[in-house]
């Protein structure tokens, strides 16, 4: 993918809402990735994994925007100089694909500093799942070189999680019709019938 295409994917980057790990709901563990539900993103499912150097990679859905967003977040407890709310120009490369130039934002996920980007391109998760590795650089310095082993199954499970969450939410919001459609509704009287008790 060339730099022009990166503007389509990372154009209009938005901040993913911060969340403490204690607020998330575990769904399943798949191939070294955790699949969880985050109430702070509108019950968006996400996947997360931690690497030996302490870097955390997170990919998920955010429904607290005008459109559904997919966000990618990278964090590390050593990145203490990252400023929450500040923009950082970062280059992201998947495998040997062309580099994406993205403006990412510093956020705080439960006391750990992250860089986060988001997109309305919901196919991004599928594309992410097909890659073997990811590199991120800032000011010419590599800040993360991460293997994506197991990400395909993790993303599939994340989508399954989201479909289940959405179905449960839809079932709760659909009013159930009464079993007897002729049964009177309690406390609802006909103003035109003076004899109705």
């Amino acid at each position: 993918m060339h730099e022009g295409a990166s503007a389509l994917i990372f154009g209009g980057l938005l901040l993913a809402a911060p969340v403490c790990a204690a607020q998330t709901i575990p769904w399943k563990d798949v191939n070294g990735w955790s699949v969880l539900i985050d109430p702070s993103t509108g019950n968006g499912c996400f996947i997360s994994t931690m690497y030996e150097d302490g870097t955390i990679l997170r990919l998920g859905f955010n429904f607290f925007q005008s459109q559904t967003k997919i966000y990618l977040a990278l964090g590390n407890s050593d990145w203490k100089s990252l400023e929450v709310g500040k923009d950082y120009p970062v280059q992201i490369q998947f495998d040997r694909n062309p580099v994406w130039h993205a403006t990412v934002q510093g956020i705080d996920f439960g006391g750990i500093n992250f860089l986060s980007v988001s997109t309305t391109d919901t196919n991004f998760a599928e594309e992410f799942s097909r890659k073997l590795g990811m590199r991120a650089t800032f000011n010419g310095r590599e800040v993360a070189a991460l293997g994506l082993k197991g990400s395909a199954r993790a993303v599939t499970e994340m989508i399954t999680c989201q479909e289940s969450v959405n179905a449960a939410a839809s079932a709760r919001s659909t009013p159930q019709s009464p079993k007897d459609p002729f049964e009177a509704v309690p406390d609802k009287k006909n103003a035109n019938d003076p004899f109705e008790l």
Side-chain angles (χ1 to χ4, degrees), residues 47 59-61 70-71 119 121-131 151-152 155-156 158-159:
I47 59 173
L59 177 83
F61 294 102
I70 297 284
Y71 66 89
T119 176
D121 183 357
T122 53
N123 292 321
F124 179 74
E126 184 182 337
E127 185 175 345
F128 170 91
S129 73
R130 294 195 309 259
K131 305 307 178 189
S151 62
V155 167
T156 298
M158 177 183 77
I159 292 168

Side-chain angles (χ1 to χ4, degrees), residues 12-23:
L13 302 174
L14 295 174
L15 168 68
V19 63
C20 177
Q23 295 172 323

Side-chain angles (χ1 to χ4, degrees), residues 75-163:
N76 193 306
S77 60
D78 290 336
W79 298 351
K80 299 188 186 317
S81 62
L82 272 181
E83 295 179 45
V84 173
K86 185 174 180 178
D87 290 340
Y88 293 89
V90 173
Q91 295 74 48
I92 298 172
Q93 183 178 29
F94 290 101
D95 294 343
R96 295 189 181 275
N97 290 6
V99 174
W100 292 347
H101 295 270
T103 301
V104 301
Q105 192 167 38
I107 62 170
D108 174 23
F109 275 129
I112 296 176
N113 290 335
F114 277 79
L115 295 169
S116 180
V117 298
S118 64
T119 176
T120 56
D121 183 357
T122 53
N123 292 321
F124 179 74
E126 184 182 337
E127 185 175 345
F128 170 91
S129 73
R130 294 195 309 259
K131 305 307 178 189
L132 300 174
M134 183 184 111
R135 292 178 60 230
T137 57
F138 171 68
N139 282 343
R141 180 182 174 193
E142 185 175 271
V143 296
L146 310 172
L148 299 177
K149 182 178 180 183
S151 62
R153 287 188 57 204
V155 167
T156 298
E157 191 59 40
M158 177 183 77
I159 292 168
T160 299
C161 167
Q162 197 62 63
E163 288 170 349

